[in-house]
Amino acid sequence: MCGIAGIAGPSSDVIAEQMIEVLRHRGPDDTGLCARPAFAMGTSRLSLVDIASGAQPTYNETGSIAVCFNGEIYNHRALRHLLREAGHTFRSESDTEVIVHLYEMHGERCVDYLHGMFAFAVLDGDRLLLARDRMGIKPLYYVSLPESGQFVFASEIKAILQCTDYTPRLDTEALADTALLGYPCGVTTFFKDIRLLAPGHTLSVALDPGPRVDPPRRYFHKPAVRTDLSMLQAQEALGTTLASAVASHLSADVEVGLTLSGGIDSTVMALLARECQRDRPLLTFSIADNEQHTDLLQAAMVAQLVGSEHVPVIVSFAEYLDAIPAYVAAEESLTDLHVLPFFLLARRIGERVKACLYGEGADELFGGYPEYLDRSQRQQWLPQRLADLRARGVMPGPHAQNLVRRYARASGFDAYLQLVFEDNLGDPLERQHLHPADKCAMASSVEARVPYLDDGVVALVTSLPIAYRVRPDLGIRKHILRRLCLERFGMATADIVLRDKQSLPTSGQRHLQRFKQLCADRLPDSYVKSHEFANYFSEKSELLLFDLFCEIFFVHRGRHDRVGSIEDFIAARAGRKSL
């Protein structure tokens, strides 16, 4: 819905305006600024709800409390009704204004009442409150700079980099964690001292006489496992809850599209959306790197099943290469290019709609990945990888090393499976899926909505016995979701239920392999041998992408247009012996 940013300290209003301008891709429809002595915050708005009256920042009746908000509150209408009954006056129908009045009533506990995806800032006198949704769908970063007396926060890191008192430097622990696990652990980022506000947390900052940051407070805790529901009862509850989530995620004052991959996750989502929206055809999108890609063909069949207006996108290798610098700048992290197809798909989606439903989170909730049945990657490969990295002088942080030890110690398949579900719903979901999806979509001014991670769906599914989701004895992943699809939508979905989809990462697999070969052919062996960080990577292409990331962010503070094309970048690196 928006990009938000703010800064406490000298020249705050000037810097805040620069930060907001950098976030205009997240919200090209409008901008707004709240400026107070030594503090300023603002938004770049993507108008989806109450387009005419939902400008931000949003204030309470007296103007003493201001809110900058990014995301969607799906229960805002019910909350508005309760707040009006309590005597609050509303100037708009926007979900943002609900947060202002909830904060007036409940203070920091206002987050307990919100159902949705969000990152927001509340300014109340000399106190600043930051908050993030329970699953971490919407990102929020911050950095405290004691030497300059500044505290800076934003939806994206490139906005924080507009504060020139912060010097961007590589966090080598985050890099080492990524070499081991594929992502940084906890609240670290690839930027020294820049931190994430953890999912399901709030952060309070005292602004006067200078920024003083309290420890983050966790407000969300995982529900206990329920034993009162049979499989049939759980399946019925899932159908009702998921249908409600899809309906709420379709709600907007503009048209909302859907992505299709041809797998069960997006198919169930599309079939439920068709039940909700029968007055006009759904608008669906899919992507692949060739016309005969299995997912593309299967997505076309699903589109026919739901009667949607379908837009298939075929990406050429030239388009793929051309997009790499912009994609790296959008993702703001070290990347393996697996989400690049979605970045390109979002460009096409943005030509038609401002919001799109996306099936992210279903694999983590229901157990869709191979590791839910195969322990070898987590219990054998990870310890060996850790040993190899240590031998090369690469030391992941304590969180990452402890995770490997926990996998190694997991005795019995039940204990292992419990750990996989717990782990995958944490850092991997946020860092490898939610953040890239949000940033790739918002780079094209598209809001990616994830109904599988609706608060009600997550609360229900995570409370179910694992045996309802994964059946190792039968070799079935996503057990309850497959049953629901077959029984609710019939045998027309049988092929989809029985097939394991290849998913978005493989939709650019041919191009990714060509890119890797291009790097292998054009980059000399000396490029790797003389590189300071060569021990962190396995392939020339990985090292090249690391260099590209460093060039964009540590040299040009997020400006990808200053590095040229990827072919030029490869050529330049081929002629240099070190970083």
Side-chain angles (χ1 to χ4, degrees):
M1 178 179 178
C2 292
I4 66 172
I7 179 169
S11 305
S12 56
D13 54 341
V14 175
I15 300 173
E17 288 181 346
Q18 296 170 349
M19 295 169 70
I20 296 163
E21 184 59 33
V22 168
L23 296 175
R24 283 301 296 269
H25 55 276
R26 296 185 70 92
D29 296 330
D30 192 19
T31 61
L33 183 69
C34 171
R36 304 282 169 82
F39 179 78
M41 68 177 186
T43 63
S44 56
R45 185 186 179 214
L46 183 67
S47 304
L48 299 174
V49 177
D50 194 3
I51 296 172
S53 306
Q56 293 192 46
T58 300
Y59 300 85
N60 65 340
E61 295 93 336
T62 64
S64 61
I65 299 173
V67 171
C68 290
F69 168 67
N70 171 34
E72 298 291 339
I73 305 300
Y74 297 115
N75 64 332
H76 72 95
R77 291 182 178 86
L79 290 173
R80 184 181 292 104
H81 176 73
L82 294 174
L83 289 164
R84 278 177 171 151
E85 285 188 337
H88 291 270
T89 301
F90 284 80
R91 301 185 182 94
S92 73
E93 295 298 314
S94 74
D95 49 355
T96 309
E97 194 173 1
V98 166
I99 299 173
V100 179
H101 299 300
L102 269 180
Y103 176 83
E104 285 184 297
M105 286 188 67
H106 302 289
E108 190 174 345
R109 305 301 314 195
C110 65
V111 289
D112 296 337
Y113 301 86
L114 299 174
H115 295 167
M117 56 179 188
F118 55 82
F120 64 80
V122 178
L123 177 63
D124 180 10
D126 65 352
R127 298 293 296 185
L128 175 70
L129 176 69
L130 303 180
R132 269 188 89 197
D133 63 69
R134 294 160 178 81
M135 299 305 295
I137 303 169
K138 287 295 179 181
L140 188 60
Y141 302 91
Y142 67 93
V143 63
S144 185
L145 304 172
E147 292 184 1
S148 61
Q150 294 171 306
F151 176 84
V152 194
F153 70 89
S155 298
E156 296 184 6
I157 291 172
K158 61 179 66 69
I160 292 178
L161 299 185
Q162 301 311 299
C163 176
T164 55
D165 285 297
Y166 172 75
T167 300
R169 293 173 294 141
L170 179 67
D171 189 314
T172 53
E173 182 176 300
L175 181 63
D177 288 352
T178 302
L180 175 63
L181 300 174
Y183 53 86
C185 291
V187 297
T188 61
T189 72
F190 289 103
F191 299 81
K192 196 80 172 174
D193 299 324
I194 294 182
R195 293 292 179 258
L196 270 167
L197 179 58
H201 281 68
T202 58
L203 182 71
S204 183
V205 182
L207 302 176
D208 186 32
R212 299 188 311 280
V213 183
D214 294 337
R217 183 185 71 84
R218 182 173 185 172
Y219 68 86
F220 171 66
H221 299 276
K222 186 176 67 173
V225 175
R226 298 180 61 176
T227 58
D228 60 323
L229 294 178
S230 67
M231 175 58 125
L232 182 58
Q233 290 171 323
Q235 183 179 310
E236 291 174 348
L238 175 61
T240 301
T241 306
L242 193 52
S244 176
V246 170
S248 67
H249 284 61
L250 284 171
S251 178
D253 294 336
V254 296
E255 185 178 11
V256 179
L258 297 88
T259 60
L260 291 178
S261 66
I264 188 173
D265 307 339
S266 62
T267 298
V268 169
M269 185 176 68
L271 287 164
L272 291 172
R274 184 189 63 177
E275 291 182 350
C276 301
Q277 181 177 298
R278 294 191 177 274
D279 58 329
R280 65 184 186 279
L282 298 170
L283 178 60
T284 57
F285 302 84
S286 61
I287 189 168
D289 55 14
N290 67 92
E291 295 181 355
Q292 298 305 311
H293 194 285
T294 307
D295 282 354
L296 197 71
L297 299 176
Q298 194 76 11
M301 293 174 60
V302 176
Q304 186 175 15
L305 181 64
V306 301
S308 66
E309 178 189 348
H310 189 57
V311 182
V313 178
I314 310 296
V315 179
S316 69
F317 186 55
E319 184 181 5
Y320 184 92
L321 287 180
D322 184 64
I324 289 175
Y327 166 71
V328 172
E331 192 168 341
E332 300 189 320
S333 66
L334 195 58
T335 179
D336 55 13
L337 301 186
H338 278 139
V339 190
L340 179 51
F342 183 70
F343 176 79
L344 293 168
L345 180 62
R347 286 181 173 178
R348 292 294 297 273
I349 294 172
E351 296 172 0
R352 298 288 301 273
V353 294
K354 291 182 176 182
C356 199
L357 269 58
Y358 184 42
E360 200 60 83
D363 284 314
E364 289 79 7
L365 278 177
F366 297 102
Y369 298 125
E371 62 259 31
Y372 289 95
L373 295 178
D374 179 5
R375 290 192 280 179
S376 61
Q377 201 274 343
R378 299 288 174 95
Q379 291 197 305
Q380 297 174 26
W381 185 86
L382 271 181
Q384 184 59 53
R385 175 65 173 167
L386 177 58
D388 291 345
L389 287 172
R390 284 172 168 172
R392 288 151 58 179
V394 177
M395 294 299 295
H399 184 107
Q401 294 192 51
N402 182 57
L403 180 62
V404 175
R405 285 192 292 268
R406 289 179 66 195
Y407 273 115
R409 290 196 302 260
S411 59
F413 201 87
D414 289 345
Y416 164 79
L417 201 52
Q418 181 70 46
L419 178 56
V420 172
F421 270 105
E422 176 189 330
D423 179 25
N424 281 355
L425 279 167
D427 289 338
L429 173 61
E430 182 187 12
R431 299 303 190 94
Q432 295 184 306
H433 300 276
L434 296 179
H435 285 185
D438 172 83
K439 293 178 182 180
C440 287
M442 294 304 283
S444 294
S445 306
V446 174
E447 182 178 80
R449 297 182 173 185
V450 282
Y452 282 106
L453 295 180
D454 175 84
D455 294 316
V457 175
V458 172
L460 172 64
V461 177
T462 55
S463 71
L464 297 177
I466 287 178
Y468 289 6
R469 294 177 268 171
V470 175
R471 290 289 302 272
D473 55 327
L474 300 177
I476 299 176
R477 292 173 280 137
K478 298 185 179 177
H479 190 208
I480 192 171
L481 188 63
R482 295 181 194 276
R483 284 175 54 112
L484 171 66
C485 186
L486 273 178
E487 293 191 20
R488 184 161 182 149
F489 302 112
M491 290 303 295
T493 64
D495 289 346
I496 296 164
V497 171
L498 294 173
R499 168 184 175 263
D500 278 337
K501 73 179 178 67
Q502 296 181 45
S503 77
L504 271 172
T506 67
S507 59
Q509 194 64 31
R510 288 188 182 183
H511 293 340
L512 178 57
Q513 294 305 316
R514 287 185 65 182
F515 171 71
K516 289 182 176 181
Q517 191 61 51
L518 182 70
C519 292
D521 293 341
R522 294 190 181 179
L523 294 169
D525 293 342
S526 59
Y527 170 65
V528 177
K529 292 177 181 178
S530 63
H531 202 292
E532 179 184 359
F533 293 99
N535 287 342
Y536 292 78
F537 303 98
S538 303
E539 298 181 357
K540 291 178 180 178
S541 59
E542 296 174 350
L543 194 57
L544 187 280
L545 290 171
F546 169 73
D547 276 356
L548 179 63
F549 167 80
C550 292
E551 183 80 12
I552 290 173
F553 286 100
F554 300 133
V555 178
H556 300 297
R557 292 182 177 262
R559 291 286 302 273
H560 70 86
D561 55 317
R562 296 184 178 179
V563 302
S565 70
I566 190 66
E567 292 96 330
D568 290 341
F569 193 80
I570 292 173
R573 286 298 184 238
R576 295 178 60 178
K577 293 185 179 180
S578 61
L579 177 64

